[in-house]
């Protein structure tokens, strides 16, 4: 998957199945709390985003913030490092380079630059495509037939 964030080009590989399971275990409990925030971000707007909108979004984000705050540091850091380990950035030489090397970021990125990158990796790895949904349906059907 190739994408641009903050004017820089990135490429991200898929996590292997074990990496996807590890991320899913950390992220899935946050999804019910995230639903109102995602809905608010995706709703179509005729007017620009206002300070009142920001306050409303922050209020809706409180359950996510609390869940993240309760997550042990080692789990949180492991999740971030797993996501960032599959990302490369396009350097000034027009070649892609690992964003992390030996657990160290190769660019001086802020939290506000990292969040969209991690979100893309999570989305790409955890939210199924229509083909993946069909495979899940087939697997569920086979499982149900086998338990009869």
């Amino acid at each position: 998957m190739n994408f641009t964030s903050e004017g820089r080009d990135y490429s991200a590989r898929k996590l292997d199945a074990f990496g996807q399971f590890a991320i899913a275990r950390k992220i899935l409990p946050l999804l019910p709390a995230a639903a109102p925030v995602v809905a608010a971000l995706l709703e179509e707007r005729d007017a620009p985003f206002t300070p009142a909108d920001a306050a409303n979004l922050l209020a809706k984000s409180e359950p996510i913030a609390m869940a993240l705050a309760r997550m042990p540091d080692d789990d949180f850091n492991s999740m971030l490092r797993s996501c960032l380990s599959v990302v490369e950035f396009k350097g000034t030489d027009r070649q892609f380079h690992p964003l992390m090397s030996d657990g160290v970021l190769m660019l001086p990125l802020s939290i506000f630059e990292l969040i969209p990158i991690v979100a893309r990796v999570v989305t790409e790895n955890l939210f199924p495509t229509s083909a993946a949904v069909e495979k899940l349906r087939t697997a569920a059907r086979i499982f149900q037939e086998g338990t009869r």
Side-chain angles (χ1 to χ4, degrees):
M1 158 188 62
N2 294 319
F3 61 96
T4 301
S5 183
E6 300 289 326
R8 187 181 309 272
D9 293 328
Y10 295 92
S11 178
R13 301 180 317 277
K14 283 272 199 182
L15 290 162
D16 65 21
F18 292 102
Q20 289 176 355
F21 276 120
I23 299 300
R25 287 182 47 230
K26 306 299 180 222
I27 292 291
L28 292 178
L30 302 176
L31 292 183
V37 176
V38 172
L41 289 172
L42 295 177
E43 89 183 7
E44 294 208 18
R45 307 178 53 79
D46 293 328
F49 203 71
T50 67
D53 294 327
N56 184 32
L57 192 58
L58 283 174
K60 289 179 180 178
S61 299
E62 183 180 2
I64 300 169
M66 295 306 293
L68 286 171
R70 285 189 298 269
M71 187 182 289
D73 286 348
D74 288 345
D75 289 351
F76 185 78
N77 291 335
S78 174
M79 180 184 64
L80 288 180
R81 290 181 192 286
S82 292
C83 288
L84 295 174
S85 72
V86 296
V87 178
E88 296 180 325
F89 69 95
K90 189 180 281 188
T92 55
D93 60 357
R94 310 297 295 155
Q95 301 296 311
F96 280 97
H97 305 278
L99 183 57
M100 287 192 71
S101 180
D102 295 323
V104 177
L105 282 172
M106 297 289 96
L107 295 174
L109 300 175
S110 74
I111 185 174
F112 300 106
E113 293 168 299
L114 287 176
I115 288 171
I117 295 169
V118 171
R120 287 213 182 231
V121 173
V122 168
T123 301
E124 182 71 16
N125 281 275
L126 296 187
F127 296 102
T129 62
S130 57
V133 168
E134 191 54 40
K135 287 178 185 176
L136 289 171
R137 285 184 183 137
T138 300
R141 190 172 46 253
I142 291 168
F143 180 75
Q144 286 176 338
E145 290 169 1
T147 59
R148 289 182 192 170

